[in-house]
Amino acid sequence: MTMNSKPALETALNHRSIRKFTQQPIEAEVLQQVLTAGQMASTSSFLQSVSVIRVTDMEKRRRLREICAGNVPNGHHYVENCAEFLVFCMDSARHHHYAPEAQTDWIEVLLTGAVDTALFAQNVLLTAESLGLGGVYIGGIRNDIQAVSELLAIPPHVVPVVGMCLGYPDHHPNQRPRLPLSAILSENTYQLADGETLAAYNQTVHEYYQTRKLDLTWQQQIQSSLYAELRPELLAYLQKQGFAKR
Amino acid sequence: MTMNSKPALETALNHRSIRKFTQQPIEAEVLQQVLTAGQMASTSSFLQSVSVIRVTDMEKRRRLREICAGNVPNGHHYVENCAEFLVFCMDSARHHHYAPEAQTDWIEVLLTGAVDTALFAQNVLLTAESLGLGGVYIGGIRNDIQAVSELLAIPPHVVPVVGMCLGYPDHHPNQRPRLPLSAILSENTYQLADGETLAAYNQTVHEYYQTRKLDLTWQQQIQSSLYAELRPELLAYLQKQGFAKR
């Protein structure tokens, strides 16, 4: 098959998370190519600290959907309905296999492992989008990371960081407006965006959500995300897996 | 100006880290486009937890090069010689500005912040590469993250995660062979690659390094990266900045 990959810049600028998919499966060669693109991403100290689990077992998909949905009874249908569900793991098990005295419990290893996992995953998503696929990251696998780990037989030194739904898009949502570039970019020294810029952006987000019949500002979104306990079992889990101890 | 962005898949599959650059500056519009591409990457709970500092002050560049080089007197020349040096930061300062009671000290926030920073950065690098630029990630800014933070006036709730050199390439290094896809991909349950596959890969890496006149295996590289203290001051720094306390 020939693969018609769209320009990277156009693809990135047109990104939207896709949560409704057609029934069309992803061709094996396409999946292989985007995963290979993931592998070609940079990797800190050439450690290649990433593994991917492809979940094809529909009973596991159903259970993953339940975990990701949390308190929303029929939430996260796309975890079951997408063509492919991938779990991207930070992985030091290969390092321990080869170098049993590897010290991977420093928080530095957690940080580079998370970064490398994300670089890999973003190459997968962007190249998939360039080939006409769509997808969405699923942080909800960390809602009950212990249960996910048992479901996928995750051994010590491996952590499922983020999931991803992939498939052929069956909707075309509007893009959410980002902060103005000036609000996140500074030169030589860090500058917090001024209050006026952030207030104007807050209003922009409010207007965007009104088009979706929601009465929501960016401020409210931050509050609803960060004013609660945030996956409080995660640190104990990471330490059990051998990470983030010092 | 018109921008000729190469296909995303081709760009990702052709990635190599670039450490030698021509004197050609990066056009302002190109820089703006690749940073905008970074902003369009997915962001957990729409928190947009990323800021970028562009370092144009050559005295700061010189000092950053020293920090990144560590014990190698003239190492990391590319931090000074690249057209643009960018520092990608995980940033919850905007959240605290807008939602003073935000609880960003959970390790969950560190993990999503690191992931979001990497998704952003990888969009920047891949789109830059698609436009004919090259670059390399610089983890060395964490060699002395406190000194880097003072140099760039990093406030609480912000952490410089990774640097990036960008510019027009002045070399075309060989690609380092990755693990076979079968060694990092499993279906439904995690599988550690078998010893035979890893041993064969170890030999492949050895042969690759021999073409660079180095006598090095993947195993030796893991040992040299993970058998030492790994930035042991990082946890205390993260906690001082308000992250990773629980």
Side-chain angles (χ1 to χ4, degrees), chain A residues 56 91 108 123 190 201 231, chain B residues 48 91 108 187 190 231:
Chain A
T56 56
D91 188 344
E108 163 72 9
N123 261 14
Y190 178 90
Y201 175 69
R231 296 174 176 147
Chain B
Q48 302 177 78
D91 189 344
E108 164 73 8
E187 194 168 337
Y190 178 90
R231 296 172 177 148

Side-chain angles (χ1 to χ4, degrees), chain A residues 39 48 52 54 56 91 103 108 122-123 142 152 178-179 184 186-188 190 201 226 231, chain B residues 39 48 52 54 56 91 103 108 122-123 142 152 178-179 184 186-188 190 201 226 231:
Chain A
Q39 287 195 279
Q48 303 178 79
V52 182
R54 180 184 172 215
T56 56
D91 188 344
Q103 297 181 44
E108 163 72 9
Q122 184 59 15
N123 261 14
R142 297 190 307 277
L152 305 179
R178 265 39 177 190
L179 284 159
I184 65 121
S186 48
E187 194 167 338
N188 294 316
Y190 178 90
Y201 175 69
L226 297 177
R231 296 174 176 147
Chain B
Q39 288 195 279
Q48 302 177 78
V52 182
R54 180 185 171 215
T56 56
D91 189 344
Q103 297 180 44
E108 164 73 8
Q122 185 58 15
N123 262 13
R142 296 190 308 277
L152 305 178
R178 266 41 176 188
L179 283 159
I184 66 123
S186 48
E187 194 168 337
N188 294 316
Y190 178 90
Y201 175 68
L226 296 178
R231 296 172 177 148

Side-chain angles (χ1 to χ4, degrees), chain A residues 56-107:
Chain A
T56 56
D57 177 326
M58 290 312 288
E59 177 52 30
K60 285 185 199 280
R61 285 271 202 107
R62 192 194 60 71
R63 181 69 189 115
L64 285 170
R65 188 196 59 70
E66 275 179 2
I67 292 167
C68 294
N71 296 325
V72 183
N74 292 308
H76 275 69
H77 54 87
Y78 30 95
V79 171
E80 274 191 86
N81 298 342
C82 59
E84 296 285 345
F85 188 75
L86 305 175
V87 178
F88 293 88
C89 303
M90 174 170 79
D91 188 344
S92 273
R94 284 185 293 270
H95 308 141
H96 283 272
H97 172 84
Y98 250 163
E101 290 169 64
Q103 297 181 44
T104 53
D105 59 347
W106 297 99
I107 200 146

Side-chain angles (χ1 to χ4, degrees), chain B:
Chain B
M1 64 183 291
T2 53
M3 290 188 204
N4 188 7
S5 170
K6 284 195 285 266
L9 183 61
E10 175 190 327
T11 304
L13 294 177
N14 281 308
H15 166 73
R16 46 265 285 164
S17 293
I18 296 298
R19 294 180 174 86
K20 290 181 194 164
F21 301 98
T22 70
Q23 296 293 309
Q24 188 181 343
I26 299 176
E27 302 81 350
E29 196 182 344
V30 168
L31 188 63
Q32 191 206 310
Q33 285 291 297
V34 300
L35 288 168
T36 302
Q39 288 195 279
M40 292 314 299
S42 292
T43 151
S44 182
S45 303
F46 202 44
L47 288 174
Q48 302 177 78
S49 312
V50 187
S51 288
V52 182
I53 304 171
R54 180 185 171 215
V55 185
T56 56
D57 178 325
M58 288 313 287
E59 177 51 28
K60 286 186 200 278
R61 285 271 202 108
R62 192 194 58 73
R63 182 69 189 113
L64 285 170
R65 188 196 60 70
E66 275 180 1
I67 292 167
C68 294
N71 295 325
V72 184
N74 292 307
H76 275 68
H77 54 88
Y78 32 94
V79 170
E80 274 191 86
N81 297 344
C82 60
E84 296 285 345
F85 188 76
L86 305 174
V87 178
F88 294 88
C89 302
M90 175 170 76
D91 189 344
S92 274
R94 284 187 293 270
H95 309 141
H96 283 272
H97 172 86
Y98 250 163
E101 291 169 64
Q103 297 180 44
T104 53
D105 59 348
W106 297 99
I107 201 147
E108 164 73 8
V109 177
L110 180 81
L111 200 60
T112 54
V115 165
D116 283 6
T117 302
L119 300 181
F120 186 123
Q122 185 58 15
N123 262 13
V124 171
L125 184 58
L126 197 75
T127 57
E129 289 174 345
S130 83
L131 297 168
L133 293 162
V136 60
Y137 285 102
I138 304 292
I141 62 166
R142 296 190 308 277
N143 285 346
D144 189 346
I145 198 165
Q146 183 58 48
V148 168
S149 296
E150 287 162 19
L151 197 69
L152 305 178
I154 303 290
H157 307 302
V158 181
V159 167
V161 174
V162 71
M164 185 188 290
C165 300
L166 283 179
Y168 287 93
D170 201 21
H171 69 151
H172 189 69
N174 288 332
Q175 287 187 306
R176 278 193 292 197
R178 266 41 176 188
L179 283 159
L181 180 56
S182 64
I184 66 123
L185 177 65
S186 48
E187 194 168 337
N188 294 316
T189 53
Y190 178 90
Q191 298 289 340
L192 184 65
D194 62 78
E196 207 171 307
T197 301
L198 292 176
Y201 175 68
N202 205 38
Q203 182 61 26
T204 301
V205 171
H206 191 216
E207 286 161 14
Y208 162 76
Y209 278 120
Q210 282 180 328
T211 69
R212 288 176 52 184
K213 317 280 181 216
L214 292 167
D215 183 25
L216 189 62
T217 65
W218 193 49
Q219 183 178 38
Q220 287 165 332
Q221 203 157 17
I222 294 169
Q223 289 169 338
S224 71
S225 294
L226 296 178
Y227 275 17
E229 281 196 333
L230 286 154
R231 296 172 177 148
E233 80 300 338
L234 186 59
L235 182 57
Y237 170 84
L238 290 170
Q239 292 180 337
K240 182 177 77 63
Q241 294 301 91
F243 292 100
K245 291 184 184 172
R246 54 180 173 170

Side-chain angles (χ1 to χ4, degrees), chain A residues 198-227:
Chain A
L198 291 177
Y201 175 69
N202 206 36
Q203 182 61 27
T204 301
V205 172
H206 191 215
E207 286 161 15
Y208 161 77
Y209 278 119
Q210 283 179 327
T211 69
R212 287 176 49 184
K213 318 280 182 217
L214 292 166
D215 183 24
L216 189 60
T217 65
W218 193 50
Q219 182 178 38
Q220 288 165 332
Q221 203 156 18
I222 294 169
Q223 289 169 338
S224 71
S225 295
L226 297 177
Y227 275 17

Side-chain angles (χ1 to χ4, degrees), chain A residues 15-233:
Chain A
H15 167 74
R16 47 265 284 164
S17 293
I18 297 299
R19 295 180 174 84
K20 290 181 194 164
F21 301 96
T22 70
Q23 296 293 310
Q24 188 180 344
I26 299 175
E27 302 80 349
E29 196 182 344
V30 168
L31 186 63
Q32 190 206 313
Q33 285 291 296
V34 301
L35 288 168
T36 303
Q39 287 195 279
M40 291 314 299
S42 292
T43 151
S44 182
S45 304
F46 203 43
L47 288 174
Q48 303 178 79
S49 313
V50 188
S51 289
V52 182
I53 303 171
R54 180 184 172 215
V55 185
T56 56
D57 177 326
M58 290 312 288
E59 177 52 30
K60 285 185 199 280
R61 285 271 202 107
R62 192 194 60 71
R63 181 69 189 115
L64 285 170
R65 188 196 59 70
E66 275 179 2
I67 292 167
C68 294
N71 296 325
V72 183
N74 292 308
H76 275 69
H77 54 87
Y78 30 95
V79 171
E80 274 191 86
N81 298 342
C82 59
E84 296 285 345
F85 188 75
L86 305 175
V87 178
F88 293 88
C89 303
M90 174 170 79
D91 188 344
S92 273
R94 284 185 293 270
H95 308 141
H96 283 272
H97 172 84
Y98 250 163
E101 290 169 64
Q103 297 181 44
T104 53
D105 59 347
W106 297 99
I107 200 146
E108 163 72 9
V109 177
L110 180 80
L111 200 61
T112 53
V115 165
D116 284 5
T117 302
L119 300 181
F120 186 123
Q122 184 59 15
N123 261 14
V124 171
L125 184 58
L126 197 75
T127 57
E129 289 174 346
S130 84
L131 296 170
L133 293 163
V136 60
Y137 285 102
I138 305 293
I141 61 165
R142 297 190 307 277
N143 285 346
D144 189 345
I145 197 166
Q146 182 60 47
V148 168
S149 296
E150 287 161 19
L151 197 67
L152 305 179
I154 302 289
H157 309 302
V158 181
V159 168
V161 173
V162 71
M164 184 188 291
C165 299
L166 284 180
Y168 286 93
D170 200 24
H171 70 152
H172 189 70
N174 289 332
Q175 286 187 306
R176 280 193 292 197
R178 265 39 177 190
L179 284 159
L181 181 56
S182 65
I184 65 121
L185 178 64
S186 48
E187 194 167 338
N188 294 316
T189 53
Y190 178 90
Q191 298 288 339
L192 184 65
D194 62 77
E196 206 170 306
T197 300
L198 291 177
Y201 175 69
N202 206 36
Q203 182 61 27
T204 301
V205 172
H206 191 215
E207 286 161 15
Y208 161 77
Y209 278 119
Q210 283 179 327
T211 69
R212 287 176 49 184
K213 318 280 182 217
L214 292 166
D215 183 24
L216 189 60
T217 65
W218 193 50
Q219 182 178 38
Q220 288 165 332
Q221 203 156 18
I222 294 169
Q223 289 169 338
S224 71
S225 295
L226 297 177
Y227 275 17
E229 280 196 331
L230 286 152
R231 296 174 176 147
E233 81 300 338

